[in-house]
Amino acid sequence: MKGDGGKMVIKSKLKWVGLVGLVLSALSLFTHFLLARYSYTDDNLTEYQAITIFSWRPIFQNADLSPNSKLHRRLWGPVRRLESLQPHAKPRQHYAVPVSESDRFIFVRIRGGFHEIRSSICDAVVIARLLNATLVIPEIQSTTSSKGISAQFKSFPYLYNEDHFMEALANDITVVKTLPKSLKGARRKKEIPSFKVVNSQSPYYYLHHVLPVLKRHSVVELVVSDGGCLQAILPPDLEEYQRLRCRVAFHALSFRQEVQELATKILHRLRAPGRPFIAYDPGMTRDALAYYGCAELFQDVHTELIQHRRLWMLKRGIVKGNLTVDSNAQRLNGSCPLMPEEIGIILRAYGYSWDTIIYISGGEVFGGQKKLIPFHAMFENVVDRTSLTTPWELNKIYGREANLVDKYPKTPPSAEQETKKDTWKTSGQRPRPLPPPPARPKSYNIEGWWGWVAESDNEPESTVIELRTNAHKLLWEAIDYVVCVEADVFVPGFDRDGKGRPSFASLVMGHRLYQSATAKSFMLDRKEIAKRMEEISDHLYEFNQTWIKSVRNHLRKSLVDGLTEESKISKSLSFLSFPVPECACLRSNPNGASSRTSASQLPLALKVAPSCPAWMGKDVISRSADKENEDDLDEDDDSGTFSLFFRQSGGGSSNRNAVSNGGGRGGGEMMSSKEETQMEDQEEMEGGDR
């Protein structure tokens, strides 16, 4: 017996040892999974790069270009003509510190999308300064009207860092979190005067209509539901208020910590491969497409949805004109967004290779992933926030949200249905007919979220889940905003919203112009691009060297010349889309040349910027030793980039035969690795077997 007991103990111990071994093996495998491939730094030290558990795995084939090569400078290098332009939003004249004790309060309620909220907050701060009033932290209605969001985030703190906002504006206005107790009750009883402010009101309106009421009642409520509530271009004597707008938008409005941290993680993951990346904002929203009459570009159910929205806009006077619009004429006029396929073609024509990292921003690409299929075919490493995050990381920024009850609960089956089931159960021998399908509410008989179009002229009311999603879109666009501002290159597909005003992309370009003017932002002329796409519509993917050079020339010029158009069109509608010269200065170079001389190449809209103050130093890098014109950067060996995407036509066959036979260098001469790669890419595009 004792022997048997000892054997059992030994077996039990062996089981435990085996179990511990399995656990340790699993932990070891998991550790090796997390600590994947290692790389060597410049100091020859080994450092491990953690594998992130998300869907994107970059695929590269082309060797990374040297930063000193002409091609790299053309694709990713800074815009040298804008080197002297520096951010400068601090006050330049007498600017009094706000009185700490103020008996006037302005309470603002804001509705709208991300760009409308951001512009309205900046305007609210300027209005508070203009009226010498204390600003109560604005209330963002898009979040408070969403019943399903986390209770830990309310209104303004749902999107922005409340404490940072108050601290950053301490020298500009007095900001408080809530109204005094004596005024809270009056607001609950709706006894305080309220103004429903339309877009782009003048300072005169606030000084002569709002200020007298504010003096009598000590508090006024501004309801802003149509975007910015102050005109974009202020009189010259209010130039300091323009700089205040810049301090609010580019310094005070910082996203709350969880959102900022996730955006920073995405940036690290994008830059982990060690290559620069492009941020692309399609700008294809349903409202924008409906406003400009671009419905026929889709030729599917989305056309009907756009037309329904346009009819809604016509009834409310948002847009004027006819319901039916020639979408192709609108496209050729530059009034419609550029399709992702068009953006992909011009980027490939400019020289970006198929393995370029491209981040797609925007909470909505109307038309769905189907519209992005051609773009994905041209570029392998196309990602968005969902590709670079895990579900739990996104859930963390949402906070703890309650489970929502379905708006359409399943109804109990009728007595007739129960009778049919009982009859089926008691029927004869098998095989028997299938049982009757379960009863479903009528709402489930419609296929797809757009199914209401087929049965109703009225769009159904938003469900609680949809309201929650709309609130989440603010967070998604906040993440995309950070990534786009920090991107090496930014490409907008469209820069207008569903009301004809500058949109998300315009705010990004304005922020990039202020923060780092030399960063590449292609300000495309959509009319010109549409015209060039029409030229090759019958031979879209064929080699055309003249066409490619014309596209490159247009894109290169848009980096600087596009600023002139932005100053004329966008600035009059939204100051934040073009915050210069009011929020910028021109820095001189270390050789002592004046800022005016160094900025002789700047557009006229930027030359009026003043010289930077002495305390900013003279840090502009001298380019005297490297005098090549930016135009010359396009004169490098283009044959490789041409053949990466476009198929040669006409004499292409003879050219390939010439290459294969030596190309005039002697039949026995070996091809370089670069030429061999070009030929392989060429054969791959033609479907040839190697």
Side-chain angles (χ1 to χ4, degrees):
M1 293 292 293
K2 290 184 179 180
D4 293 341
K7 290 180 180 179
M8 292 179 64
V9 170
I10 292 173
K11 289 181 179 179
S12 177
K13 289 182 177 179
L14 288 175
K15 289 180 180 179
W16 280 104
V17 170
L19 181 62
V20 171
L22 287 174
V23 171
L24 291 176
S25 299
L27 289 174
S28 176
L29 287 173
F30 184 71
T31 302
H32 282 82
F33 177 75
L34 290 181
L35 301 176
R37 62 186 187 278
Y38 58 86
S39 58
Y40 292 93
T41 63
D42 294 336
D43 298 327
N44 295 325
L45 297 177
T46 303
E47 51 179 40
Y48 288 89
Q49 187 174 17
I51 285 186
T52 48
I53 310 174
F54 45 82
S55 59
W56 182 48
R57 292 293 181 271
I59 299 175
F60 301 113
Q61 180 174 333
N62 297 333
D64 197 9
L65 294 173
S66 169
N68 296 324
S69 67
K70 285 187 176 182
L71 181 59
H72 188 280
R73 290 203 299 274
R74 172 160 61 82
L75 299 180
W76 307 105
V79 184
R80 292 183 177 177
R81 289 173 62 183
L82 302 178
E83 281 180 327
S84 58
L85 198 65
Q86 302 295 320
H88 183 31
K90 291 187 177 182
R92 302 173 192 175
Q93 303 171 4
H94 174 69
Y95 193 77
V97 177
V99 180
S100 58
E101 297 294 334
S102 176
D103 59 349
R104 303 175 188 172
F105 295 90
I106 291 181
F107 183 82
V108 186
R109 288 191 291 135
I110 303 171
R111 294 188 66 89
F114 176 86
H115 65 283
E116 293 171 325
I117 291 172
R118 194 172 183 89
S119 299
S120 298
I121 293 173
C122 297
D123 290 350
V125 172
V126 173
I127 292 168
R129 174 80 189 193
L130 183 68
L131 303 182
N132 192 26
T134 297
L135 176 68
V136 181
I137 290 288
E139 185 177 291
I140 301 174
Q141 296 290 302
S142 293
T143 54
T144 56
S145 63
S146 305
K147 307 300 181 183
I149 66 170
S150 175
Q152 70 184 99
F153 302 120
K154 290 298 182 183
S155 193
F156 190 92
Y158 179 76
L159 187 59
Y160 293 108
N161 188 324
E162 196 174 49
D163 294 329
H164 177 79
F165 180 77
M166 298 174 66
E167 293 173 4
L169 297 175
N171 294 327
D172 295 293
I173 61 169
T174 302
V175 184
V176 295
K177 292 186 178 182
T178 59
L179 286 168
K181 292 183 179 180
S182 59
L183 297 175
K184 280 184 179 180
R187 179 176 178 266
R188 281 194 295 267
K189 297 176 183 178
K190 298 183 178 180
E191 295 176 351
I192 64 174
S194 178
F195 292 84
K196 189 174 182 180
V197 185
V198 299
N199 182 266
S200 301
Q201 283 286 9
S202 67
Y204 177 89
Y205 171 82
Y206 294 100
L207 291 172
H208 292 81
H209 292 83
V210 178
L211 183 58
V213 178
L214 179 62
K215 290 180 177 179
R216 289 197 303 268
H217 296 271
S218 298
V219 60
V220 294
E221 181 181 64
L222 303 180
V223 181
V224 184
S225 59
D226 200 26
C229 50
L230 185 65
Q231 67 185 44
I233 300 179
L234 298 176
D237 59 322
L238 296 179
E239 188 174 304
E240 286 298 338
Y241 291 86
Q242 297 288 56
R243 280 188 276 276
L244 175 56
R245 272 174 163 161
C246 294
R247 292 196 293 276
V248 178
F250 308 136
H251 299 282
L253 281 179
S254 176
F255 300 113
R256 64 177 164 92
Q257 183 177 354
E258 297 89 347
V259 177
Q260 189 68 43
E261 287 177 353
L262 184 55
T264 303
K265 283 183 181 179
I266 290 176
L267 279 170
H268 288 332
R269 292 165 185 174
L270 278 167
R271 299 192 186 281
R275 297 196 177 201
F277 73 94
I278 297 174
Y280 163 46
D281 180 67
M284 294 173 60
T285 63
R286 182 184 173 195
D287 285 351
L289 292 164
Y291 183 90
Y292 291 99
C294 306
E296 296 175 4
L297 298 181
F298 290 85
Q299 298 297 324
D300 56 19
V301 70
H302 295 91
T303 295
E304 197 168 350
L305 287 166
I306 294 170
Q307 287 295 81
H308 185 278
R309 175 64 74 175
R310 182 171 176 84
L311 179 61
W312 181 88
M313 290 180 170
L314 286 168
K315 290 179 179 179
R316 286 158 180 77
I318 298 175
V319 62
K320 297 180 181 179
N322 300 322
L323 176 61
T324 304
V325 180
D326 187 347
S327 298
N328 189 54
Q330 289 290 87
R331 172 182 167 272
L332 293 176
N333 190 41
S335 298
C336 290
L338 293 172
M339 293 291 112
E341 181 180 19
E342 295 173 322
I343 293 291
I345 289 175
I346 63 173
L347 288 179
R348 293 304 303 268
Y350 194 69
Y352 293 104
S353 61
W354 65 269
D355 58 356
T356 301
I357 301 174
I358 300 182
Y359 180 89
I360 296 185
S361 73
E364 175 189 12
V365 178
F366 195 75
Q369 291 297 315
K370 180 178 71 173
K371 288 297 175 184
L372 292 172
I373 289 175
F375 194 76
H376 281 272
M378 297 178 214
F379 295 98
E380 181 67 34
N381 298 314
V382 177
V383 293
D384 57 15
R385 70 176 178 281
T386 60
S387 309
L388 297 166
T389 57
T390 58
W392 68 267
E393 286 177 323
L394 287 173
N395 290 334
K396 183 180 177 182
I397 68 173
Y398 304 151
R400 292 187 177 183
E401 295 179 325
N403 293 326
L404 300 179
V405 179
D406 200 331
K407 186 177 180 181
Y408 301 101
K410 293 183 179 180
T411 56
S414 63
E416 182 182 358
Q417 291 289 338
E418 290 289 351
T419 304
K420 288 182 179 179
K421 288 183 180 179
D422 292 338
T423 304
W424 178 79
K425 290 178 182 178
T426 58
S427 61
Q429 296 182 353
R430 301 175 187 273
R432 293 176 290 179
L434 293 174
R440 297 185 299 173
K442 187 171 186 250
S443 59
Y444 289 105
N445 293 331
I446 303 174
E447 296 295 334
W449 66 270
W450 40 264
W452 56 267
V453 177
E455 297 191 0
S456 173
D457 293 333
N458 299 319
E459 190 166 350
E461 294 182 2
S462 298
T463 63
V464 181
I465 296 178
E466 289 171 342
L467 290 173
R468 173 188 281 182
T469 303
N470 288 335
H472 289 174
K473 285 180 181 178
L474 294 178
L475 302 179
W476 300 342
E477 292 192 333
I479 292 171
D480 291 343
Y481 186 85
V482 175
V483 175
C484 289
V485 168
E486 298 294 333
D488 299 280
V489 175
F490 179 68
V491 182
F494 200 53
D495 57 359
R496 291 292 181 269
D497 64 5
K499 296 176 183 176
R501 305 187 189 115
S503 65
F504 174 91
S506 291
L507 289 189
V508 170
M509 289 190 288
H511 197 151
R512 288 169 65 88
L513 180 61
Y514 169 82
Q515 178 176 293
S516 179
T518 58
K520 274 186 166 61
S521 296
F522 290 110
M523 302 179 187
L524 304 176
D525 184 340
R526 292 183 298 277
K527 184 176 180 179
E528 186 69 20
I529 294 296
K531 175 185 174 183
R532 296 187 186 282
M533 295 303 297
E534 284 294 307
E535 293 174 358
I536 62 165
S537 58
D538 295 333
H539 308 281
L540 197 58
Y541 296 96
E542 294 184 358
F543 178 86
N544 187 326
Q545 182 170 342
T546 303
W547 183 86
I548 290 176
K549 283 190 173 293
S550 69
V551 169
R552 289 184 177 181
N553 185 57
H554 172 71
L555 263 66
R556 187 177 61 250
K557 287 185 176 180
S558 75
L559 295 170
V560 178
D561 295 349
L563 295 173
T564 303
E565 293 300 316
E566 286 295 311
S567 66
K568 294 177 182 177
I569 301 174
S570 296
K571 186 169 184 174
S572 60
L573 300 172
S574 172
F575 174 75
L576 297 181
S577 65
F578 198 84
V580 292
E582 293 88 344
C583 300
C585 62
L586 299 176
R587 188 182 293 182
S588 59
N589 61 43
N591 295 329
S594 67
S595 60
R596 302 291 176 185
T597 304
S598 61
S600 59
Q601 298 294 324
L602 289 175
L604 182 62
L606 306 181
K607 290 181 181 180
V608 295
S611 300
C612 291
W615 56 265
M616 292 186 69
K618 299 179 179 180
D619 297 334
V620 174
I621 301 174
S622 176
R623 300 290 181 182
S624 57
D626 191 8
K627 290 288 186 181
E628 81 270 13
N629 193 320
E630 286 188 3
D631 295 347
D632 296 337
L633 298 180
D634 196 37
E635 300 302 324
D636 54 352
D637 183 12
D638 293 322
S639 58
T641 52
F642 286 163
S643 62
L644 283 176
F645 179 70
F646 294 93
R647 183 174 58 199
Q648 293 190 8
S649 61
S653 175
S654 61
N655 290 340
R656 288 191 299 274
N657 292 334
V659 173
S660 62
N661 292 326
R665 298 170 305 177
E669 187 172 345
M670 294 289 291
M671 290 188 298
S672 67
S673 60
K674 179 178 179 181
E675 292 169 334
E676 187 175 357
T677 302
Q678 293 170 14
M679 282 197 62
E680 290 174 354
D681 290 334
Q682 187 72 33
E683 291 171 357
E684 184 178 353
M685 289 302 301
E686 295 175 353
D689 295 328
R690 293 194 296 271

